[in-house]
Amino acid sequence: MEPYRIKVVEPIPFTTRQQRQEALKRVNYNLFDLRAEEVTIDLLTDSGTGALSAAQQAAGMAGDESYSGSRSFYRFHETVTELTGYAHILPAHQGRAAERILFSSLLEPGQISLANTHFDTTRANVELAGCEARDLPSPESRDLDSTQPFKGNIDLEVLRATLTGPDASRVAVVVMTLTNNGGGGQPVSMENLKQTAALCRQYGVPLFLDAARFAENAWLVTRHEDAYRDHTPRQVAEEAFRLADGCMMSAKKDGIVHIGGFVGVNDPELAQKCELLLIATEGFATYGGLAGRDLDMMAQGLNEVLEPSYLQERADIAGYLAKRVRAAGVDIIEPPGMHALYLNAGRLLPHIPPHNYPGHALSCQLYLEGGIRSAELGSLYLGKEDEDGNPVASAPYELVRLALPRRVYTRSHYDHIGDTLEKIAKDTHSVYGFRIVDQSPILRHFRAKLEPVPVAR
Ligand SMILES: *Cc1c(COP(=O)(O)O)cnc(C)c1O
């Protein structure tokens, strides 16, 4: 059961099918343009959408809003230092700010960042620094149906080959994303992290963690890695941070706050560079673009997130939804992970070709039938067409992500998601494809306008 009871509630909106049909038309079938008030269950993201605890709210009320040296900063600093062990901790307003501060200070144009998989803002910040972001996912990650527990691992052989190959002198950093968000939310094993750290040390390349979901990764390690079965999630997390030279973190995930993040580094010279950039662009080094109350709530959240009862329930509810989804006849990226389920829309809707966006079609259908908002991760997001709409490139998989906000929805909400998918899966032939009628040159999935097209079957 949920290891909490509910003290503050927010009504969720109910709409009719007719209203949702009209809303879809009005926003040109782009779910980003819906008003949140038109969404009954919002699974667009697990970022900044969690519920605060009473203790977090109380900590926020006691926040110290001094410009520098606030009590809130020292509480935050102590918590993060204890957790990570890094010598220098800098707050930032969210993950991508931490990424920009770190990469602008660490990288020189022309260098390479290697990762198990760069998250999209991580990639963008590496590229903005004039560098190449190269993904080295493990071979198992390519098989969506494989239930191997650590599909988030980096490919150690390719890593070694890169660190000893012709590009070796240009490799400036290795990033491990815990859990691997771009790769289906799959965890990284401690064994893989240790071997990566050893290779990095051997070849003199710094290792950084993208720690957005460090606690969920730690939980999955205690469940599936034999050497860690008797460890607490905190012990695993503390060990993981200490294998790396630093980290950047979006606390909107495993900090369970609405805004917040930080950079941690050991190297004093790098820390100084980051600090100056932070002061120039985010805020003074003891608040980093946040309010004192945000720092207090983040400190409290970073402790709560490692509670075994919290992590156990989060894994259980993801597993519960996965079971409902499979029973409805819809395949997911296996195993289910913790922060999201990734539906295999390509397999569910084989009559819709990639350039008619089966993922987007399923996403729209989830909204139409159930008022559920999700995110397409398929050819609308990753594909390309020529000016006449003929496909040039399509995504490797047509997926829909159901992100699970922390401590927000209960089992009956999850049942509604299962029921809705069951209904859709029984009548896939009524699901239409889409065509883009207007798009932006970059990040098109955010702004594209679409219209439904009947597809041949
Ligand atoms: C969300 C996320 C980020 C970016 O953080 P924001 O707080 O959204 O800026 C970076 N890396 C990963 C793995 C993330 O999930």
Side-chain angles (χ1 to χ4, degrees):
M1 67 180 85
E2 288 86 350
Y4 47 81
R5 56 182 175 171
I6 296 166
K7 179 143 70 176
V8 178
V9 295
E10 180 184 18
I12 55 174
F14 291 103
T15 52
T16 63
R17 196 173 194 280
Q18 175 75 21
Q19 286 170 325
R20 296 193 291 273
Q21 181 74 271
E22 283 162 18
L24 279 172
K25 226 184 234 171
R26 189 192 80 239
V27 300
N28 300 292
Y29 300 90
N30 186 325
L31 301 179
F32 284 102
D33 284 336
L34 288 171
R35 296 178 67 117
E37 285 169 344
E38 294 169 318
V39 177
T40 303
I41 308 273
D42 204 344
L43 308 182
L44 188 59
T45 177
D46 66 320
S47 178
T49 53
L52 296 174
S53 67
Q56 279 178 294
Q57 299 260 19
M61 289 304 287
D64 174 358
E65 304 302 340
S66 303
Y67 188 91
S68 83
S70 69
R71 188 175 59 238
S72 302
F73 171 73
Y74 285 105
R75 178 180 181 194
F76 158 79
H77 189 268
E78 205 172 291
T79 302
V80 178
T81 305
E82 212 169 283
L83 173 64
T84 66
Y86 300 133
H88 306 275
I89 306 294
L90 297 168
H93 80 273
Q94 63 183 88
R96 67 200 71 184
E99 290 166 350
R100 184 181 59 83
I101 300 280
L102 178 70
F103 291 139
S104 317
S105 307
L106 180 69
L107 302 178
E108 304 283 347
Q111 291 185 320
I112 300 169
S113 169
L114 303 176
N116 49 349
T117 304
H118 294 83
F119 179 67
D120 41 15
T121 61
T122 321
R123 168 178 299 278
N125 278 294
V126 168
E127 290 174 356
L128 279 171
C131 299
E132 180 195 340
R134 199 180 290 177
D135 293 338
L136 315 178
S138 68
E140 309 85 73
S141 69
R142 281 181 265 277
D143 177 1
L144 303 192
D145 302 313
S146 151
T147 55
Q148 207 273 346
F150 292 108
K151 289 160 76 177
N153 284 352
I154 201 165
D155 187 327
L156 289 166
E157 278 174 38
V158 181
L159 177 63
R160 180 189 289 279
T162 312
L163 290 173
T164 54
D167 289 336
S169 64
R170 291 199 293 131
V171 177
V173 65
V174 174
V175 175
M176 279 291 238
T177 311
L178 310 180
T179 57
N180 195 346
N181 191 8
Q186 301 294 324
V188 174
S189 72
M190 291 299 283
E191 181 58 28
N192 189 258
L193 189 58
K194 275 185 209 167
Q195 293 203 31
T196 302
L199 280 171
C200 285
R201 218 173 309 119
Q202 186 178 350
Y203 295 102
V205 176
L207 171 64
F208 278 82
L209 304 185
D210 178 347
R213 298 181 183 80
F214 74 94
E216 294 177 1
N217 201 87
W219 177 257
L220 293 168
V221 164
T222 66
R223 299 289 98 177
H224 301 296
E225 196 165 351
D226 283 341
Y228 289 88
R229 281 189 202 274
D230 59 353
H231 284 52
T232 63
R234 175 175 288 279
Q235 288 168 327
V236 176
E238 286 184 358
E239 187 177 330
F241 280 114
R242 282 158 182 79
L243 286 168
D245 301 290
C247 75
M248 59 264 177
M249 162 128 190
S250 167
K252 297 173 72 170
K253 288 45 172 273
D254 274 352
I256 329 186
V257 282
H258 301 143
I259 199 75
F262 61 86
V263 180
V265 298
N266 279 332
D267 176 352
E269 259 174 61
L270 177 62
Q272 193 182 31
K273 266 187 164 172
C274 289
E275 186 178 282
L276 292 177
L277 187 59
L278 183 78
I279 297 173
T281 60
E282 286 275 311
F284 189 65
T286 62
Y287 74 89
L290 293 165
R293 61 176 167 273
D294 297 325
L295 293 166
D296 270 303
M297 292 191 287
M298 181 160 43
Q300 178 66 26
L302 287 168
N303 285 328
E304 289 178 10
V305 78
L306 286 165
E307 281 293 328
S309 60
Y310 159 79
L311 287 165
Q312 167 91 63
E313 196 272 339
R314 186 150 170 79
D316 283 355
I317 199 73
Y320 176 74
L321 182 59
K323 218 185 270 173
R324 293 279 334 245
V325 171
R326 290 189 206 103
V330 181
D331 289 337
I332 57 169
I333 298 191
E334 298 287 352
M338 287 173 77
H339 84 284
L341 292 194
Y342 295 69
L343 311 179
N344 193 333
R347 202 176 281 169
L348 181 69
L349 305 171
H351 61 288
I352 303 178
H355 63 280
N356 290 131
Y357 315 117
H360 187 70
L362 178 56
S363 206
C364 286
Q365 202 69 13
L366 275 164
Y367 178 69
L368 180 65
E369 295 296 344
I372 299 160
R373 179 154 69 170
S374 54
E376 192 258 13
L377 289 175
S379 289
L380 180 59
Y381 174 50
L382 293 170
K384 222 186 238 161
E385 298 82 34
D386 67 16
E387 279 169 15
D388 304 319
N390 301 312
V392 174
S394 52
Y397 310 105
E398 303 296 336
L399 303 172
V400 170
R401 187 182 77 171
L402 305 179
L404 311 178
R406 292 168 181 77
R407 307 191 289 208
V408 169
Y409 294 119
T410 62
R411 234 155 249 248
S412 51
H413 297 116
Y414 286 92
D415 280 332
H416 171 72
I417 302 161
D419 292 344
T420 304
L421 270 167
E422 205 169 290
K423 194 163 158 196
I424 294 171
K426 274 194 189 130
D427 186 22
T428 52
H429 282 293
S430 69
V431 181
Y432 279 56
F434 283 86
R435 142 185 127 74
I436 295 179
V437 292
D438 187 41
Q439 61 179 304
S440 54
I442 55 162
L443 298 171
R444 69 172 181 177
H445 57 292
F446 285 118
R447 302 265 39 112
K449 294 182 166 60
L450 299 105
E451 66 181 18
V453 287
V455 287
R457 41 190 84 118

